[in-house]
Short mmCIF file of all heavy atoms in Angstrom, two decimals:
data_model
loop_
_atom_site.label_atom_id
_atom_site.label_comp_id
_atom_site.label_asym_id
_atom_site.label_seq_id
_atom_site.Cartn_x
_atom_site.Cartn_y
_atom_site.Cartn_z
N GLY A 447 -25.08 -16.20 -41.38
CA GLY A 447 -25.55 -14.84 -41.34
C GLY A 447 -25.07 -14.05 -40.15
O GLY A 447 -25.15 -12.80 -40.15
N CYS A 448 -24.56 -14.75 -39.12
CA CYS A 448 -24.08 -14.05 -37.92
C CYS A 448 -22.65 -13.55 -38.07
O CYS A 448 -22.21 -12.70 -37.29
CB CYS A 448 -24.15 -14.98 -36.72
SG CYS A 448 -25.81 -15.47 -36.25
N ALA A 449 -21.93 -14.07 -39.05
CA ALA A 449 -20.49 -13.79 -39.14
C ALA A 449 -20.20 -12.30 -39.29
O ALA A 449 -19.23 -11.78 -38.71
CB ALA A 449 -19.87 -14.57 -40.29
N HIS A 450 -21.04 -11.57 -40.04
CA HIS A 450 -20.76 -10.15 -40.28
C HIS A 450 -20.99 -9.31 -39.04
O HIS A 450 -20.57 -8.16 -38.99
CB HIS A 450 -21.63 -9.63 -41.43
CG HIS A 450 -23.08 -9.48 -41.08
ND1 HIS A 450 -23.95 -10.57 -41.07
CD2 HIS A 450 -23.81 -8.40 -40.72
CE1 HIS A 450 -25.16 -10.14 -40.71
NE2 HIS A 450 -25.11 -8.84 -40.50
N ARG A 451 -21.64 -9.91 -38.00
CA ARG A 451 -21.89 -9.17 -36.76
C ARG A 451 -20.85 -9.46 -35.69
O ARG A 451 -20.80 -8.77 -34.66
CB ARG A 451 -23.28 -9.52 -36.23
CG ARG A 451 -24.41 -9.14 -37.18
CD ARG A 451 -25.75 -9.68 -36.70
NE ARG A 451 -26.13 -9.16 -35.39
CZ ARG A 451 -27.17 -9.61 -34.69
NH1 ARG A 451 -27.93 -10.57 -35.19
NH2 ARG A 451 -27.45 -9.10 -33.51
N ALA A 452 -20.02 -10.46 -35.88
CA ALA A 452 -19.02 -10.83 -34.88
C ALA A 452 -17.86 -9.82 -34.88
O ALA A 452 -17.53 -9.27 -35.93
CB ALA A 452 -18.49 -12.24 -35.18
N PRO A 453 -17.26 -9.60 -33.69
CA PRO A 453 -17.59 -10.20 -32.41
C PRO A 453 -18.87 -9.63 -31.81
O PRO A 453 -19.02 -8.42 -31.67
CB PRO A 453 -16.38 -9.86 -31.54
CG PRO A 453 -15.79 -8.62 -32.16
CD PRO A 453 -16.08 -8.71 -33.63
N ASN A 454 -19.74 -10.55 -31.42
CA ASN A 454 -21.04 -10.14 -30.89
C ASN A 454 -21.67 -11.35 -30.21
O ASN A 454 -22.13 -12.27 -30.88
CB ASN A 454 -21.94 -9.62 -32.01
CG ASN A 454 -23.22 -9.02 -31.50
OD1 ASN A 454 -23.89 -9.58 -30.63
ND2 ASN A 454 -23.60 -7.88 -32.05
N LEU A 455 -21.68 -11.34 -28.88
CA LEU A 455 -22.20 -12.48 -28.14
C LEU A 455 -23.70 -12.65 -28.37
O LEU A 455 -24.20 -13.77 -28.51
CB LEU A 455 -21.91 -12.31 -26.65
CG LEU A 455 -22.12 -13.51 -25.74
CD1 LEU A 455 -21.31 -14.70 -26.22
CD2 LEU A 455 -21.75 -13.15 -24.31
N SER A 456 -24.43 -11.55 -28.45
CA SER A 456 -25.88 -11.64 -28.62
C SER A 456 -26.26 -12.29 -29.93
O SER A 456 -27.26 -13.01 -30.02
CB SER A 456 -26.50 -10.24 -28.53
OG SER A 456 -26.30 -9.69 -27.24
N ALA A 457 -25.47 -12.05 -30.99
CA ALA A 457 -25.79 -12.64 -32.29
C ALA A 457 -25.74 -14.16 -32.25
O ALA A 457 -26.49 -14.84 -32.96
CB ALA A 457 -24.82 -12.11 -33.34
N TYR A 458 -24.87 -14.71 -31.42
CA TYR A 458 -24.70 -16.16 -31.33
C TYR A 458 -25.44 -16.77 -30.14
O TYR A 458 -25.24 -17.94 -29.80
CB TYR A 458 -23.21 -16.50 -31.24
CG TYR A 458 -22.46 -16.27 -32.54
CD1 TYR A 458 -22.00 -15.01 -32.88
CD2 TYR A 458 -22.24 -17.31 -33.43
CE1 TYR A 458 -21.34 -14.78 -34.07
CE2 TYR A 458 -21.57 -17.10 -34.62
CZ TYR A 458 -21.13 -15.84 -34.94
OH TYR A 458 -20.47 -15.61 -36.13
N GLU A 459 -26.31 -15.98 -29.53
CA GLU A 459 -27.04 -16.42 -28.34
C GLU A 459 -27.77 -17.75 -28.53
O GLU A 459 -27.73 -18.62 -27.63
CB GLU A 459 -28.04 -15.34 -27.93
CG GLU A 459 -28.71 -15.58 -26.61
CD GLU A 459 -27.99 -14.90 -25.46
OE1 GLU A 459 -26.98 -14.23 -25.70
OE2 GLU A 459 -28.45 -15.04 -24.32
N PRO A 460 -28.45 -18.02 -29.65
CA PRO A 460 -29.18 -19.29 -29.78
C PRO A 460 -28.29 -20.52 -29.64
O PRO A 460 -28.77 -21.59 -29.26
CB PRO A 460 -29.79 -19.20 -31.19
CG PRO A 460 -29.89 -17.74 -31.46
CD PRO A 460 -28.68 -17.14 -30.81
N TRP A 461 -27.02 -20.39 -29.97
CA TRP A 461 -26.08 -21.52 -29.88
C TRP A 461 -25.33 -21.51 -28.53
O TRP A 461 -25.18 -22.56 -27.91
CB TRP A 461 -25.06 -21.47 -31.01
CG TRP A 461 -25.66 -21.62 -32.38
CD1 TRP A 461 -25.89 -22.79 -33.05
CD2 TRP A 461 -26.12 -20.57 -33.24
NE1 TRP A 461 -26.46 -22.54 -34.28
CE2 TRP A 461 -26.61 -21.17 -34.43
CE3 TRP A 461 -26.16 -19.18 -33.14
CZ2 TRP A 461 -27.13 -20.44 -35.49
CZ3 TRP A 461 -26.68 -18.43 -34.20
CH2 TRP A 461 -27.17 -19.06 -35.35
N VAL A 462 -24.88 -20.36 -28.10
CA VAL A 462 -24.05 -20.28 -26.89
C VAL A 462 -24.85 -20.62 -25.63
O VAL A 462 -24.30 -21.14 -24.66
CB VAL A 462 -23.41 -18.88 -26.77
CG1 VAL A 462 -22.61 -18.75 -25.48
CG2 VAL A 462 -22.49 -18.61 -27.96
N ARG A 463 -26.14 -20.37 -25.62
CA ARG A 463 -26.93 -20.58 -24.41
C ARG A 463 -27.45 -22.01 -24.25
O ARG A 463 -28.04 -22.33 -23.21
CB ARG A 463 -28.12 -19.63 -24.41
CG ARG A 463 -29.22 -20.02 -25.41
CD ARG A 463 -30.43 -19.13 -25.29
NE ARG A 463 -31.53 -19.61 -26.11
CZ ARG A 463 -32.76 -19.11 -26.06
NH1 ARG A 463 -33.03 -18.10 -25.25
NH2 ARG A 463 -33.71 -19.61 -26.83
N VAL A 464 -27.27 -22.87 -25.22
CA VAL A 464 -27.85 -24.22 -25.16
C VAL A 464 -27.41 -24.94 -23.87
O VAL A 464 -26.24 -24.93 -23.51
CB VAL A 464 -27.45 -25.03 -26.40
CG1 VAL A 464 -27.72 -26.52 -26.21
CG2 VAL A 464 -28.22 -24.52 -27.62
N ASP A 465 -28.37 -25.53 -23.19
CA ASP A 465 -28.19 -26.26 -21.93
C ASP A 465 -27.93 -25.35 -20.73
O ASP A 465 -27.84 -25.82 -19.60
CB ASP A 465 -27.04 -27.29 -22.00
CG ASP A 465 -27.31 -28.37 -23.03
OD1 ASP A 465 -28.48 -28.68 -23.28
OD2 ASP A 465 -26.32 -28.91 -23.58
N LEU A 466 -27.80 -24.05 -20.95
CA LEU A 466 -27.55 -23.11 -19.84
C LEU A 466 -28.01 -21.72 -20.26
O LEU A 466 -27.19 -20.84 -20.58
CB LEU A 466 -26.06 -23.11 -19.46
CG LEU A 466 -25.70 -22.38 -18.17
CD1 LEU A 466 -26.38 -23.01 -16.96
CD2 LEU A 466 -24.19 -22.34 -17.99
N HIS A 467 -29.30 -21.51 -20.25
CA HIS A 467 -29.85 -20.26 -20.76
C HIS A 467 -29.44 -19.06 -19.92
O HIS A 467 -29.41 -17.94 -20.42
CB HIS A 467 -31.37 -20.35 -20.84
CG HIS A 467 -31.85 -21.21 -21.97
ND1 HIS A 467 -33.05 -21.02 -22.61
CD2 HIS A 467 -31.27 -22.28 -22.60
CE1 HIS A 467 -33.20 -21.92 -23.57
NE2 HIS A 467 -32.14 -22.70 -23.57
N GLY A 468 -29.11 -19.28 -18.65
CA GLY A 468 -28.67 -18.17 -17.81
C GLY A 468 -27.17 -18.00 -17.77
O GLY A 468 -26.62 -17.54 -16.77
N TYR A 469 -26.49 -18.32 -18.87
CA TYR A 469 -25.02 -18.33 -18.85
C TYR A 469 -24.40 -16.95 -18.63
O TYR A 469 -23.24 -16.85 -18.26
CB TYR A 469 -24.47 -18.94 -20.16
CG TYR A 469 -24.53 -18.00 -21.35
CD1 TYR A 469 -23.41 -17.26 -21.72
CD2 TYR A 469 -25.68 -17.86 -22.10
CE1 TYR A 469 -23.45 -16.41 -22.81
CE2 TYR A 469 -25.74 -17.00 -23.18
CZ TYR A 469 -24.62 -16.28 -23.53
OH TYR A 469 -24.67 -15.42 -24.61
N ARG A 470 -25.19 -15.88 -18.84
CA ARG A 470 -24.64 -14.56 -18.52
C ARG A 470 -25.60 -13.73 -17.67
O ARG A 470 -25.54 -12.51 -17.67
CB ARG A 470 -24.23 -13.81 -19.77
CG ARG A 470 -25.29 -13.55 -20.83
CD ARG A 470 -24.74 -12.57 -21.83
NE ARG A 470 -25.60 -12.34 -22.97
CZ ARG A 470 -25.55 -11.24 -23.72
NH1 ARG A 470 -24.71 -10.27 -23.43
NH2 ARG A 470 -26.35 -11.10 -24.77
N ALA A 471 -26.47 -14.41 -16.94
CA ALA A 471 -27.40 -13.73 -16.04
C ALA A 471 -26.71 -13.46 -14.70
O ALA A 471 -26.03 -14.33 -14.15
CB ALA A 471 -28.64 -14.59 -15.82
N ARG A 472 -26.91 -12.26 -14.19
CA ARG A 472 -26.30 -11.88 -12.90
C ARG A 472 -26.96 -12.68 -11.79
O ARG A 472 -28.16 -12.59 -11.55
CB ARG A 472 -26.49 -10.38 -12.67
CG ARG A 472 -25.90 -9.87 -11.36
CD ARG A 472 -26.18 -8.40 -11.19
NE ARG A 472 -25.35 -7.60 -12.07
CZ ARG A 472 -24.14 -7.13 -11.74
NH1 ARG A 472 -23.64 -7.40 -10.55
NH2 ARG A 472 -23.45 -6.41 -12.59
N HIS A 473 -26.18 -13.48 -11.06
CA HIS A 473 -26.71 -14.30 -9.99
C HIS A 473 -26.94 -13.47 -8.73
O HIS A 473 -26.12 -12.62 -8.37
CB HIS A 473 -25.74 -15.43 -9.64
CG HIS A 473 -25.60 -16.45 -10.72
ND1 HIS A 473 -24.44 -17.14 -10.95
CD2 HIS A 473 -26.49 -16.90 -11.66
CE1 HIS A 473 -24.60 -17.96 -11.98
NE2 HIS A 473 -25.83 -17.83 -12.42
N GLY A 474 -28.05 -13.75 -8.06
CA GLY A 474 -28.33 -13.12 -6.79
C GLY A 474 -27.63 -13.84 -5.65
O GLY A 474 -26.92 -14.82 -5.83
N ALA A 475 -27.90 -13.34 -4.42
CA ALA A 475 -27.24 -13.89 -3.23
C ALA A 475 -27.60 -15.35 -3.00
O ALA A 475 -26.79 -16.12 -2.47
CB ALA A 475 -27.61 -13.05 -2.02
N LEU A 476 -28.81 -15.77 -3.41
CA LEU A 476 -29.24 -17.14 -3.21
C LEU A 476 -28.34 -18.12 -3.96
O LEU A 476 -27.86 -19.11 -3.39
CB LEU A 476 -30.69 -17.29 -3.68
CG LEU A 476 -31.38 -18.63 -3.39
CD1 LEU A 476 -31.52 -18.86 -1.90
CD2 LEU A 476 -32.75 -18.67 -4.07
N VAL A 477 -28.09 -17.84 -5.23
CA VAL A 477 -27.23 -18.72 -6.04
C VAL A 477 -25.80 -18.66 -5.54
O VAL A 477 -25.14 -19.70 -5.36
CB VAL A 477 -27.30 -18.33 -7.53
CG1 VAL A 477 -26.30 -19.14 -8.34
CG2 VAL A 477 -28.71 -18.53 -8.07
N ARG A 478 -25.30 -17.47 -5.30
CA ARG A 478 -23.90 -17.34 -4.88
C ARG A 478 -23.67 -18.01 -3.52
O ARG A 478 -22.62 -18.62 -3.28
CB ARG A 478 -23.50 -15.87 -4.84
CG ARG A 478 -23.60 -15.18 -6.20
CD ARG A 478 -22.77 -13.90 -6.26
NE ARG A 478 -23.07 -12.98 -5.17
CZ ARG A 478 -24.04 -12.06 -5.19
NH1 ARG A 478 -24.83 -11.96 -6.25
NH2 ARG A 478 -24.23 -11.24 -4.17
N GLY A 479 -24.66 -17.93 -2.64
CA GLY A 479 -24.52 -18.59 -1.34
C GLY A 479 -24.46 -20.10 -1.49
O GLY A 479 -23.65 -20.77 -0.82
N GLN A 480 -25.31 -20.64 -2.35
CA GLN A 480 -25.29 -22.09 -2.58
C GLN A 480 -23.95 -22.53 -3.17
O GLN A 480 -23.39 -23.56 -2.77
CB GLN A 480 -26.43 -22.49 -3.53
CG GLN A 480 -26.51 -23.97 -3.80
CD GLN A 480 -26.68 -24.30 -5.28
OE1 GLN A 480 -26.66 -25.44 -5.66
NE2 GLN A 480 -26.85 -23.31 -6.13
N LEU A 481 -23.43 -21.75 -4.09
CA LEU A 481 -22.16 -22.10 -4.71
C LEU A 481 -21.02 -22.04 -3.70
O LEU A 481 -20.09 -22.85 -3.74
CB LEU A 481 -21.87 -21.17 -5.89
CG LEU A 481 -22.80 -21.33 -7.10
CD1 LEU A 481 -22.48 -20.28 -8.16
CD2 LEU A 481 -22.69 -22.73 -7.69
N GLY A 482 -21.10 -21.07 -2.77
CA GLY A 482 -20.08 -21.00 -1.73
C GLY A 482 -20.07 -22.25 -0.87
O GLY A 482 -19.00 -22.78 -0.52
N LEU A 483 -21.25 -22.75 -0.52
CA LEU A 483 -21.34 -23.98 0.27
C LEU A 483 -20.80 -25.18 -0.50
O LEU A 483 -20.11 -26.04 0.06
CB LEU A 483 -22.79 -24.23 0.68
CG LEU A 483 -23.41 -23.23 1.67
CD1 LEU A 483 -24.89 -23.52 1.85
CD2 LEU A 483 -22.69 -23.28 3.01
N ARG A 484 -21.10 -25.22 -1.78
CA ARG A 484 -20.63 -26.34 -2.59
C ARG A 484 -19.12 -26.29 -2.78
O ARG A 484 -18.46 -27.33 -2.80
CB ARG A 484 -21.35 -26.36 -3.94
CG ARG A 484 -22.81 -26.78 -3.82
CD ARG A 484 -23.52 -26.82 -5.17
NE ARG A 484 -24.85 -27.39 -4.99
CZ ARG A 484 -25.14 -28.68 -4.99
NH1 ARG A 484 -24.16 -29.56 -5.18
NH2 ARG A 484 -26.37 -29.11 -4.83
N MET A 485 -18.57 -25.10 -2.93
CA MET A 485 -17.11 -24.98 -3.06
C MET A 485 -16.41 -25.43 -1.78
O MET A 485 -15.30 -26.00 -1.83
CB MET A 485 -16.72 -23.55 -3.40
CG MET A 485 -17.01 -23.16 -4.84
SD MET A 485 -16.23 -21.60 -5.31
CE MET A 485 -14.49 -22.08 -5.35
N ALA A 486 -17.04 -25.20 -0.63
CA ALA A 486 -16.44 -25.63 0.64
C ALA A 486 -16.34 -27.15 0.72
O ALA A 486 -15.50 -27.69 1.46
CB ALA A 486 -17.27 -25.09 1.81
N ALA A 487 -17.20 -27.85 -0.02
CA ALA A 487 -17.18 -29.31 -0.02
C ALA A 487 -16.37 -29.90 -1.18
O ALA A 487 -16.38 -31.12 -1.39
CB ALA A 487 -18.61 -29.85 -0.08
N LEU A 488 -15.68 -29.03 -1.94
CA LEU A 488 -14.99 -29.49 -3.14
C LEU A 488 -13.93 -30.54 -2.84
O LEU A 488 -13.84 -31.56 -3.53
CB LEU A 488 -14.36 -28.29 -3.87
CG LEU A 488 -13.49 -28.62 -5.09
CD1 LEU A 488 -14.28 -29.38 -6.14
CD2 LEU A 488 -12.91 -27.33 -5.69
N ASP A 489 -13.09 -30.32 -1.83
CA ASP A 489 -11.99 -31.25 -1.58
C ASP A 489 -12.49 -32.64 -1.22
O ASP A 489 -11.91 -33.65 -1.62
CB ASP A 489 -11.09 -30.69 -0.48
CG ASP A 489 -10.24 -29.53 -0.96
OD1 ASP A 489 -9.82 -29.56 -2.13
OD2 ASP A 489 -10.02 -28.58 -0.19
N ALA A 490 -13.58 -32.71 -0.47
CA ALA A 490 -14.15 -34.01 -0.14
C ALA A 490 -14.64 -34.71 -1.40
O ALA A 490 -14.47 -35.92 -1.58
CB ALA A 490 -15.30 -33.86 0.86
N GLY A 491 -15.24 -33.93 -2.32
CA GLY A 491 -15.68 -34.50 -3.59
C GLY A 491 -14.52 -34.99 -4.44
O GLY A 491 -14.62 -36.04 -5.09
N LEU A 492 -13.42 -34.24 -4.43
CA LEU A 492 -12.26 -34.66 -5.21
C LEU A 492 -11.69 -35.97 -4.67
O LEU A 492 -11.23 -36.82 -5.46
CB LEU A 492 -11.18 -33.57 -5.17
CG LEU A 492 -11.53 -32.25 -5.86
CD1 LEU A 492 -10.39 -31.25 -5.71
CD2 LEU A 492 -11.86 -32.46 -7.33
N THR A 493 -11.72 -36.15 -3.36
CA THR A 493 -11.24 -37.41 -2.78
C THR A 493 -12.09 -38.58 -3.25
O THR A 493 -11.56 -39.64 -3.61
CB THR A 493 -11.27 -37.32 -1.24
OG1 THR A 493 -10.38 -36.28 -0.81
CG2 THR A 493 -10.84 -38.64 -0.61
N ARG A 494 -13.40 -38.39 -3.29
CA ARG A 494 -14.29 -39.47 -3.78
C ARG A 494 -14.04 -39.74 -5.26
O ARG A 494 -14.10 -40.89 -5.71
CB ARG A 494 -15.75 -39.08 -3.56
CG ARG A 494 -16.15 -39.03 -2.08
CD ARG A 494 -17.66 -38.99 -1.91
NE ARG A 494 -18.24 -37.80 -2.50
CZ ARG A 494 -18.37 -36.65 -1.87
NH1 ARG A 494 -17.93 -36.50 -0.63
NH2 ARG A 494 -18.95 -35.61 -2.47
N ARG A 495 -13.76 -38.70 -6.03
CA ARG A 495 -13.49 -38.89 -7.45
C ARG A 495 -12.21 -39.70 -7.66
O ARG A 495 -12.13 -40.56 -8.54
CB ARG A 495 -13.41 -37.55 -8.16
CG ARG A 495 -14.76 -36.88 -8.33
CD ARG A 495 -14.68 -35.56 -9.08
NE ARG A 495 -16.02 -35.01 -9.22
CZ ARG A 495 -16.90 -35.37 -10.13
NH1 ARG A 495 -16.56 -36.30 -11.03
NH2 ARG A 495 -18.10 -34.83 -10.18
#
Side-chain angles (χ1 to χ4, degrees):
C448 295
H450 72 280
R451 299 172 60 189
N454 187 316
L455 192 56
S456 296
Y458 288 83
E459 188 94 1
W461 296 272
V462 176
R463 73 175 188 171
V464 166
D465 298 331
L466 190 61
H467 286 209
Y469 77 97
R470 58 169 174 157
R472 180 182 286 270
H473 293 148
L476 187 64
V477 174
R478 299 199 307 273
Q480 181 226 175
L481 292 176
L483 293 174
R484 288 181 173 275
M485 285 192 71
L488 175 59
D489 287 324
L492 294 178
T493 297
R494 292 195 298 273
R495 287 182 179 280

